[in-house]
Amino acid sequence: MKTDIQIAQECKMQPIADIAKKIGLGEDDYESYGKYKGKVNLSLFKKLEGKKDGKLILVTAITPTPAGEGKSTVTVGLTQALNKLGKSSIAALREPSLGPVFGVKGGAAGGGYAQVVPMEEINLHFNGDFHAIGVAHNLVSACIDNHIKHGNTLNIDITKITWKRVIDMNDRSLRKIVIGIGGKENGNPREDSFQITVASEIMAALCLSNSLMELKEKISRMVFAYDTKGEALKVGDLKIQGAVTALLKEAIRPNFVQTLENTPVFIHGGPFANIAHGCNSILATKLALKLSDYAITEAGFAADLGAEKFLDIKCRMGNIEPSCVVIVATVRALKHHGGAKDLSVESVEAVTKGLENLDKHIENMHKFGLPTVVAINRFVTDSDKELEIIRTHCEKLNSPVALCDVWANGGEGGKELANAVLAQIETKKSPYKPLYPLEMAIDEKIKTICTEIYGADNVEFTPSVKKMMVKLNDMGYSNLPICMSKTQKSISDNPALIGRPKNFTVKIEELKLAAGAGFIIAMAGGIIDMPGLPKVPSAEIIDIDENGVISGLF
């Protein structure tokens, strides 16, 4: 069996100029980054202003196993299938982070015959966006410590600096560090820490901005510390928002590439789905909507994390709404939630028990007023009996379901899903509505998410969280949406609770303000924003030969 990278390397790519022509881009609308990659010029948005939007399709999933269940693969396969059916379709995806690429999860360019290419370049550096975001973020860090060194006229309380440094690599040794040691010439000694670049607030802000100037304004509002009187200090107080934004003038431009079947794809941005909202940029999604009849996008992790944030945060800020939600389910994930230990062994009983997890995610999407289609992402280990159990169950619920075989057969294997999605869009109107109004109190917004989406009985707030709620109200931030930070391994905040957890309380242990990005982060459980590498990282199997051919990426 060929590996993903072998399949990708055998693909005959079309020059990026040809892909641009397919979506109606002229020479002044984009810039080539080599032969097979491009970046769109922001002036294109003005040109497309009066053009009608296409339909937006959101791809999400049930609660995954650690290996992931193939949302990106289904997203790519679905857009290929729609194009095979004669429809105009463009996918909009997140960019891969180097941390997972060299860690345990691998890349994020799809899989099998439903991939985006050039796969190696997309997974390794791509067009430099993450590096620009990392440098921009660390410019703020450097200016904070430089300000302290040269008199600290802002009266920064060095025990209340909330701005961490970033690097786009899994490195647990950087979670807690001490900086400024070695004498006065090296600055003021203090404790500090790193987070992975995808957890940067600048990453989130870039992906939630509708223009370069909006991004500049968001950066100026970012709170980096509190002064000795407890007042918030913002990047604008350092007078560096212009310089930080200047570093991002290329990174904010959406990238476009192609699938194995030469259909166009925008890949842009990649906020951490635990800490931030876990979606690609508003700009890339809007371009896909303007340039095609059907735009396909995805949200990180399962529907309780990624889809909820997409619908309550990104849709509000981008003034967009989906017409249909695809919920990806796999036999192996359902067996996991049904208590099976060996996911490669047939177990109709475990699949049946695990279906309660799927049921909850379907119910949740209906709370937003959206029609759904269940996509059964097929794996070679799936038995016909297991697949039939899922299909029969969905049909009893009157929930449209389609077998998706895009990994093995590309767009051809996604036609059943594509037709099911088209039927939902054509026969049902989408009365999309957010889960909660922004004017609702902070604690009530959090309770609404925890009880309605997670199924919690109660929500417990620590004393420090209650104190922070009062502070956020006094500071004028109570009308921001909530960005929940919790485990992706369970619908609840406890990774050990598989299936559809019941009779549990969610504990909110910390609130963080992301004033620039425009949301409040509610921390439920200890989510690490700087992952570590596994005992045998993927870095040990990735290699390159004398001809520059890379192997081991997946």
Side-chain angles (χ1 to χ4, degrees), residues 356 455 457 497 500-504:
E356 62 181 6
D457 292 333
L497 300 180
R500 181 175 183 166
K502 293 182 175 68
N503 305 314
F504 66 93

Side-chain angles (χ1 to χ4, degrees), residues 115-247:
Q115 294 187 63
V116 282
V117 285
M119 184 259 218
E120 306 97 307
E121 294 178 44
I122 291 167
N123 280 309
L124 303 176
H125 305 297
F126 202 18
N127 289 346
D129 296 347
F130 280 26
H131 295 289
I133 290 166
V135 171
H137 183 108
N138 290 334
L139 172 60
V140 177
S141 299
C143 288
I144 292 168
D145 287 295
N146 184 62
H147 183 89
I148 295 169
K149 165 71 177 172
H150 291 290
N152 194 10
T153 57
L154 290 175
N155 295 314
I156 300 169
D157 184 340
I158 64 170
T159 68
K160 294 180 181 176
I161 296 173
T162 57
W163 193 266
K164 300 180 180 183
R165 285 166 160 82
V166 300
I167 185 171
D168 192 32
M169 188 56 60
N170 291 1
D171 191 346
R172 61 173 57 83
S173 298
L174 296 177
R175 288 175 185 164
K176 293 289 181 183
I177 61 171
V178 177
I179 62 171
I181 59 176
K184 267 177 127 179
E185 67 277 10
N186 295 329
N188 294 72
R190 69 177 179 88
E191 288 188 2
D192 201 358
S193 58
F194 274 76
Q195 58 188 172
I196 195 165
T197 300
V198 293
S200 165
E201 186 177 352
I202 291 179
M203 172 70 83
L206 183 143
C207 289
L208 291 172
S209 295
N210 290 277
S211 68
L212 184 63
M213 289 302 96
E214 183 181 332
L215 175 59
K216 182 179 174 180
E217 175 59 28
K218 286 179 182 289
I219 288 169
S220 72
R221 298 199 305 260
M222 292 179 182
V223 174
F224 68 84
Y226 294 86
D227 66 17
T228 51
K229 293 181 179 179
E231 298 296 318
L233 295 170
K234 303 169 186 177
V235 171
D237 295 325
L238 294 169
K239 302 176 183 178
I240 60 171
Q241 65 269 28
V244 174
T245 309
L247 286 167

Side-chain angles (χ1 to χ4, degrees), residues 400-429:
V401 59
L403 187 63
C404 190
D405 208 3
V406 296
W407 188 92
N409 297 302
E412 195 65 34
K415 283 184 176 179
E416 182 184 340
L417 174 61
N419 281 317
V421 168
L422 291 173
Q424 284 292 85
I425 291 174
E426 290 165 6
T427 60
K428 292 191 177 183
K429 290 185 179 179

Side-chain angles (χ1 to χ4, degrees), residues 349-369:
E349 181 183 355
V351 170
T352 302
K353 187 177 179 184
L355 284 166
E356 62 181 6
N357 184 272
L358 171 61
D359 293 349
K360 178 58 176 165
H361 290 298
I362 294 172
E363 289 173 20
N364 284 347
M365 293 302 95
H366 290 169
K367 291 177 189 290
F368 293 92

Side-chain angles (χ1 to χ4, degrees), residues 323-372:
S323 297
C324 182
V325 178
V326 174
I327 302 175
V328 179
T330 62
V331 167
R332 67 179 184 178
L334 290 169
K335 283 194 286 195
H336 168 76
H337 289 288
K341 301 302 179 186
D342 188 344
L343 303 184
S344 64
V345 176
E346 181 183 88
S347 177
V348 170
E349 181 183 355
V351 170
T352 302
K353 187 177 179 184
L355 284 166
E356 62 181 6
N357 184 272
L358 171 61
D359 293 349
K360 178 58 176 165
H361 290 298
I362 294 172
E363 289 173 20
N364 284 347
M365 293 302 95
H366 290 169
K367 291 177 189 290
F368 293 92
L370 296 171
T372 61

